[in-house]
Amino acid sequence: MGYAEVCVNSPVAQRQTFSYAIPPGLSINVGQAVWVPFGEKLLQGIVLELSDYPAVEETKEIAGIIEPHPVLSPAHVSLAYWISQHYLSPLFDAVALMLTPGFERKALTFISIPSIPDDFDLSSLTQEQRHALELVQRQGRVSLKQLERTLGKKKAQTIVSQLVRRGLAVRSYELEPIRVSPKEEPYLSLAIDAGEAQQEAARLQKKGANKQAALLNFLAQQSKPVPLAEARQTAKCDKATANALVQKSLVTIQPVEVRRDPLSSQDITPSYPLTLTAAQESAFRSISESLIQKVSEHPNVFLLHGVTGSGKTEIYLQALAEAVRLGKRGIVLVPEIALTPQTIERFASRFPGKVAVLHSQLSLGEQFDEWQRIRNGEFDVVIGPRSATFAPQPDLGLIVIDEEHEWTYKQHDKSPRYHTRDVAIKLAELTGAVVVLGSATPDVATFYHAQRGDYHLLRLPERVTPRQSSPLPRVEVVDLREELKAGNRSLFSRSLSQAIARAVTDGEQVILFLNRRGAATFIQCRNCGLVLRCRRCEVALTYHLAEDTLVCHQCNYRIPVPQLCPRCLSRRIKFLGVGTQKLEQEASHTFSQARLLRWDSDATRRKYSHQEILNKFRDHQADILIGTQMITKGLDLPQVTLVGVVSADTGLNLPDFRAGERTFQLLSQVAGRAGRGPLGGQAIFQTYSPEHYAIQAAAKHDYTLFYDKEIDYRRQLHNPPFSQLASLIYTHTNDALCQREAERMKHLIIEERDSKGIADLSVIGPAPAFIHRLRGRFRWQLILRGSEPSAFLSQVPIPQGWTVDIDPVGL
Ligand code: ADP
Ligand code: ZN
Ligand code: ZN
């Protein structure tokens, strides 16, 4: 008899598997979904390993197979183990990433009576037991639910147990009905040949059955079955008419499986490979060589570093085509599908009919359909957000991560809190695939790896400028302190308002960018620009309204809000925070002739409104587009000649060591939106800290300038990539209790660390988390910094109520 290590869908299971015996006659494979008894219940599980011996003495048997084909490939099984280990997440959470959408279901219990021995004395049963027995016998098999409805829940369960114990009844299990199933539509077709149909139609017409006659004539002209919905539209028939013809055996209605296609609403014209520039050619050649080579020991990871418009996407497309030529397939990851419609279109038009799009806004049914077709090998390319990393794409040869620095690649809000980049690299290592990371502003850690030679660095130093007329936009940095001195208190500096006025007059388009995140939570001197920072951590202090204090969200240092600026003694200390709505108001006032359009999460609640807003702006139905981070994503808007950043500082003042990196990335991207057409362009950054290296470097489009400074700071403060971080957050409705538990945990961790003699692990905090109170619960945070906090924490018992985030982005 063999045994299986099964990952069980129960919160109790955490990071372990359970041993089950494989009953004789059942053929079980690694990756297969099975039913297993677990306590009183029957649960879903995935077989992760097979062995000749069980890991424990007493094992139960696997109750049954859920699906005949394995749902996880061996590589995915290994990946699940890795995710669970590295991110300290329950195994089933890791496995669940890879399951067919809608997979998680409950088991239903059925009762049947095989046969009652002739000599059995029925009078030895109670009346209720006999009643239940008859009920089941009458129908052959009855669900426990149904018995519960008839006899009452408790009673039904007791009686069934009694009958089973006496050997009269047997339990069996089945999945509850599938919630998602392939979508089917009724199709109409003739049950007779077309000639007969026309004769029938004439006869019906004589009898006055005009509708039926019309439908028959319509069907007689069709070469294949017609969807009922289409017949209704075109032939103006209703369901009753169709049914009447079915009754007369002239027509049949049959369900036909249809594909729910997220791309079907778009018209796609095929596109063809461009002739690569010299820089593109050399990058492409490196990637294609590694596609051909046999699997090496290290994962083949490329960092494709090139400014927006330098032709990275064209390289992705041609590298994918090369992979396909070699009989392989690809996965392309984008930060967020809704924000990258143009990118999707480009892939869809280069590989017509061979691109699957996985989209969180698809219905469960649509996701299910795509997943099945991907597994059948119907697509060359799967495109999606981070969840698409786990698509069951066979023969995986290439994984592209576009805009690899984006924070949406980290799943931070639910377990497992994984980072797509690290998971994709692991998956590539397991499958022999090649990874291409693309960005104009690579993550500092990624660039560090590329510098060290862990990844191959490929550079595209210039924009591809087909018309030789759109170099990177010139950036002007405006010092807002000077504006105040000159008496200008509006949101627009003199430079910016002149530029806007000119662009609008000349019929060009303008983007105004305002990053609302973190606004109004920090305070700043309006005279000298000073932002109050923690003395120990260098991060901006956060204003807490309730206590009227400034708090360091890293170490919990606190000071009252000062009356005077500590640097220039001005009284003009202000809470910063202007939202996009306020900006829109002021812009409409200042530029009364311009047509405004606002793009932020308030304006885009509906399904296709991203696309709608974008189309509206592209069709030049507005002159000025006002927006938050969303407008920084891969838009190609050739009529935009001016990008204004209303406050370049908002990001700088987030309490996070990545604030500089984040600011540099955002500003670079925003500036990159200007001058993508023949008119050229300009960007203006308004700031109180014009000397800040992140702002300076972004203004000069100089990644190296930024990186060299940033990596120095990281080294000095021992921040990633020179260490690894883990964030531990405890939540509770009682603030004081929450703080106490955080203190307790800190001591426990320090004790554990010292007893193990680990030198390079520091514990920072506890401090209130960045969002101190969320949905009525307080949150306190500890940060662990060291070479391997994840390995250390896996040995520490972590009580309920704590959330662990390994490699957190955004503290
Ligand atoms: P990125 O992904 O780096 O932003 P893209 O691949 O989108 O750059 O290229 C920018 C623009 O240049 C696109 O309009 C693209 O069609 C065009 N382009 C890219 N490569 C070439 C090439 N080799 N020849 C001509 N045009 C190109
Ligand atoms: Zn000041
Ligand atoms: Zn501090």
Side-chain angles (χ1 to χ4, degrees):
M1 189 194 252
Y3 297 86
E5 286 298 313
V6 179
C7 161
V8 181
N9 185 8
S10 159
V12 187
Q14 290 298 317
R15 299 205 296 278
Q16 31 164 338
T17 54
F18 293 84
S19 294
Y20 287 90
I22 301 172
L26 212 57
S27 140
I28 297 283
N29 295 304
V30 167
Q32 198 154 29
V34 290
W35 288 113
V36 289
F38 195 78
E40 291 293 290
K41 289 189 188 144
L42 194 73
L43 298 181
Q44 288 175 312
I46 304 292
V47 176
L48 297 188
E49 282 172 67
L50 296 174
S51 65
D52 292 336
Y53 306 96
V56 289
E57 236 163 68
E58 267 186 41
T59 56
K60 294 184 185 174
E61 281 189 355
I62 289 176
I65 289 173
I66 298 179
E67 267 185 54
H69 300 291
V71 282
L72 259 61
S73 71
H76 280 133
V77 168
S78 305
L79 191 65
Y81 270 121
W82 182 83
I83 289 173
S84 167
Q85 245 160 45
H86 184 81
Y87 296 104
L88 304 173
S89 77
L91 249 179
F92 197 86
D93 286 357
V95 162
L97 295 166
M98 306 161 195
L99 299 176
T100 325
F103 177 86
E104 286 176 62
R105 279 178 276 158
K106 289 207 199 78
L108 297 179
T109 308
F110 287 87
I111 318 298
S112 51
I113 315 282
S115 63
I116 299 175
D118 289 341
D119 55 354
F120 187 85
D121 180 11
L122 279 175
S123 62
S124 70
L125 297 176
T126 66
Q127 202 183 337
E128 279 171 331
Q129 287 171 341
R130 273 205 304 273
H131 178 50
L133 208 60
E134 277 163 24
L135 256 173
V136 178
Q137 265 180 324
R138 213 178 308 139
Q139 298 184 32
R141 201 181 76 136
V142 168
S143 75
L144 182 59
K145 277 240 173 73
Q146 192 187 334
L147 279 182
E148 285 172 359
R149 273 197 295 272
T150 330
L151 305 170
K153 191 165 178 168
K154 268 269 153 56
K155 190 152 281 171
Q157 288 177 358
T158 324
I159 293 173
V160 167
S161 295
Q162 290 163 347
L163 293 177
V164 170
R165 223 174 305 133
R166 298 190 65 163
L168 295 173
V170 186
R171 288 194 188 95
S172 61
Y173 307 96
E174 223 172 76
L175 275 180
E176 79 182 348
I178 292 191
R179 259 178 292 141
V180 296
S181 47
K183 186 179 174 187
E184 288 180 340
E185 262 182 35
Y187 271 61
L188 295 179
S189 53
L190 287 176
I192 48 180
D193 72 40
E196 284 175 315
Q198 275 158 341
Q199 289 169 12
E200 277 296 332
R203 221 166 295 152
L204 283 165
Q205 189 127 35
K206 273 198 204 118
K207 285 198 236 158
N210 290 337
K211 280 192 194 162
Q212 292 179 31
L215 180 57
L216 266 188
N217 276 327
F218 170 73
L219 290 175
Q221 287 154 22
Q222 309 301 316
S223 56
K224 50 183 196 252
V226 185
L228 179 60
E230 191 187 319
R232 276 178 158 171
Q233 275 246 313
T234 325
K236 301 270 177 289
C237 86
D238 47 32
K239 188 86 193 286
T241 313
N243 284 338
L245 292 175
V246 172
Q247 291 272 301
K248 294 180 179 136
S249 304
L250 302 174
V251 166
T252 58
I253 300 184
Q254 260 157 358
V256 171
E257 196 180 312
V258 293
R259 187 183 167 207
R260 289 176 259 219
D261 187 351
L263 285 172
S264 63
S265 63
Q266 294 175 19
D267 291 329
I268 288 157
T269 28
S271 79
Y272 301 95
L274 303 168
T275 310
L276 297 179
T277 63
Q280 282 176 318
E281 181 66 37
S282 126
F284 169 74
R285 209 168 303 134
S286 302
I287 299 170
S288 59
E289 271 163 22
S290 79
L291 281 171
I292 295 164
Q293 269 168 16
K294 284 283 150 265
V295 187
S296 65
E297 228 174 82
H298 290 286
N300 272 319
V301 183
F302 292 88
L303 169 59
L304 185 56
H305 178 210
V307 294
T308 32
S310 59
K312 297 187 293 296
T313 310
E314 186 61 32
I315 294 181
Y316 306 152
L317 289 165
Q318 298 203 16
L320 284 164
E322 182 66 10
V324 171
R325 205 181 60 79
L326 296 166
K328 300 177 189 179
R329 301 164 204 279
I331 293 178
V332 176
L333 301 166
V334 292
E336 206 184 317
I337 287 279
L339 299 179
T340 44
Q342 291 171 329
T343 313
I344 311 287
E345 265 174 56
R346 282 177 72 184
F347 284 89
S349 64
R350 192 65 63 87
F351 301 93
K354 303 297 275 178
V355 173
V357 181
L358 292 173
H359 194 309
S360 56
Q361 284 181 356
L362 297 182
S363 67
L364 201 55
E366 287 167 325
Q367 292 178 33
F368 177 83
D369 286 1
E370 289 293 87
W371 205 262
Q372 296 295 351
R373 300 190 65 206
I374 292 166
R375 194 190 311 193
N376 293 342
E378 292 184 36
F379 300 104
D380 291 338
V381 182
V382 174
I383 302 188
R386 59 176 185 248
S387 58
T389 316
F390 307 101
Q393 181 75 313
D395 314 309
L396 189 60
L398 180 62
I399 306 173
V400 172
I401 306 186
D402 191 27
E403 309 286 359
E404 65 88 33
H405 61 276
E406 285 289 344
W407 288 14
T408 48
Y409 284 127
K410 168 81 177 181
Q411 174 154 299
H412 68 277
D413 51 354
K414 57 174 187 259
S415 165
R417 294 181 164 72
Y418 68 91
H419 199 297
T420 309
R421 190 194 313 118
D422 299 322
V423 171
I425 290 173
K426 190 71 201 171
L427 179 61
E429 195 183 304
L430 292 164
T431 54
V434 170
V435 178
V436 176
L437 309 170
S439 175
T441 53
D443 188 282
V444 168
T446 305
F447 200 77
Y448 176 73
H449 285 302
Q451 288 275 325
R452 290 203 332 175
D454 304 338
Y455 308 159
H456 311 275
L457 181 60
L458 306 171
R459 285 179 200 264
L460 297 178
E462 280 164 3
R463 272 190 174 178
V464 183
T465 49
R467 286 170 290 261
Q468 296 301 320
S469 53
S470 54
L472 285 168
R474 184 165 48 79
V475 180
E476 181 187 343
V477 178
V478 173
D479 186 344
L480 288 176
R481 291 169 303 188
E482 295 299 319
E483 293 299 307
L484 287 170
K485 278 187 198 143
N488 176 13
R489 279 157 206 283
S490 98
L491 288 175
F492 307 105
S493 61
R494 290 160 293 176
S495 250
L496 183 55
S497 53
Q498 274 161 25
I500 295 173
R502 190 208 53 75
V504 172
T505 313
D506 292 355
E508 296 162 10
Q509 286 187 304
V510 177
I511 290 178
L512 288 180
F513 172 76
L514 181 70
N515 198 3
R516 227 181 355 182
R517 248 189 91 189
T521 61
F522 68 98
I523 66 170
Q524 184 172 38
C525 170
R526 288 276 267 168
N527 192 46
C528 75
L530 178 76
V531 171
L532 292 162
R533 285 168 191 280
C534 172
R535 284 181 205 194
R536 286 177 276 187
C537 311
E538 269 305 300
V539 299
L541 295 171
T542 301
Y543 177 63
H544 280 216
L545 185 71
E547 304 124 74
D548 199 29
T549 37
L550 292 169
V551 181
C552 170
H553 276 208
Q554 196 127 309
C555 72
N556 203 26
Y557 168 78
R558 287 162 187 258
I559 51 164
V561 179
Q563 297 299 308
L564 301 177
C565 169
R567 184 156 76 192
C568 74
L569 302 181
S570 156
R571 287 190 167 275
R572 305 191 37 232
I573 289 207
K574 281 264 154 60
F575 297 92
L576 279 199
V578 188
T580 35
Q581 295 184 16
K582 173 92 194 316
L583 176 60
E584 186 183 22
Q585 228 175 38
E586 200 166 321
S588 70
H589 193 249
T590 316
F591 311 103
S592 49
Q593 315 89 330
R595 294 161 301 169
L596 302 182
L597 192 62
R598 200 179 86 227
W599 192 10
D600 56 22
S601 48
D602 295 335
T604 53
R605 290 272 149 76
R606 285 176 308 122
K607 196 168 174 179
Y608 289 111
S609 55
H610 285 298
Q611 187 76 57
E612 280 162 16
I613 294 176
L614 187 56
N615 288 344
K616 213 169 154 184
F617 192 60
R618 215 189 307 177
D619 293 346
H620 211 146
Q621 292 177 42
D623 307 301
I624 303 179
L625 179 67
I626 291 176
T628 54
Q629 293 186 61
M630 290 180 182
I631 62 172
T632 64
K633 313 300 176 211
L635 307 177
D636 204 352
L637 300 164
Q639 294 180 81
V640 173
T641 58
L642 173 65
V643 170
V645 177
V646 178
S647 167
D649 307 333
T650 22
L652 278 184
N653 300 312
L654 289 176
D656 189 330
F657 75 90
R658 284 196 183 86
E661 175 174 12
R662 187 80 187 126
T663 299
F664 174 77
Q665 287 165 348
L666 271 178
L667 293 179
S668 304
Q669 278 169 25
V670 179
R673 297 300 127 220
R676 296 193 53 129
L679 298 169
Q682 182 198 6
I684 295 177
F685 297 167
Q686 303 192 137
T687 170
Y688 286 100
S689 338
E691 65 292 332
H692 195 285
Y693 67 96
I695 293 175
Q696 285 286 325
K700 292 183 183 136
H701 307 289
D702 191 341
Y703 182 82
T704 315
L705 180 68
F706 158 74
Y707 174 81
D708 289 344
K709 266 265 161 40
E710 182 70 26
I711 203 78
D712 265 0
Y713 288 139
R714 300 280 179 98
R715 196 179 278 116
Q716 278 166 31
L717 293 170
H718 201 53
N719 274 326
F722 302 100
S723 63
Q724 193 189 25
L725 298 185
S727 140
L728 283 82
I729 292 183
Y730 187 71
T731 57
H732 200 278
T733 47
N734 181 323
D735 197 18
L737 203 146
C738 194
Q739 184 176 2
R740 268 205 306 283
E741 166 62 13
E743 300 280 2
R744 192 194 66 81
M745 191 68 179
K746 176 179 182 163
H747 290 300
L748 189 131
I749 287 172
I750 288 176
E751 251 170 48
E752 191 75 17
R753 175 194 70 183
D754 295 346
S755 78
K756 290 209 163 83
I758 298 171
D760 70 333
L761 187 76
S762 48
V763 188
I764 306 160
F770 178 55
I771 299 165
H772 183 196
R773 197 169 174 194
L774 194 65
R775 287 178 226 109
R777 298 176 76 86
F778 291 93
R779 304 161 79 239
W780 281 74
Q781 184 178 37
L782 287 173
I783 294 167
L784 266 61
R785 186 169 58 195
S787 54
E788 269 179 291
S790 156
F792 169 78
L793 282 173
S794 68
Q795 311 289 328
V796 179
I798 295 170
Q800 283 252 316
W802 281 96
T803 307
V804 180
D805 189 348
I806 304 294
D807 309 323
V809 293
L811 300 171

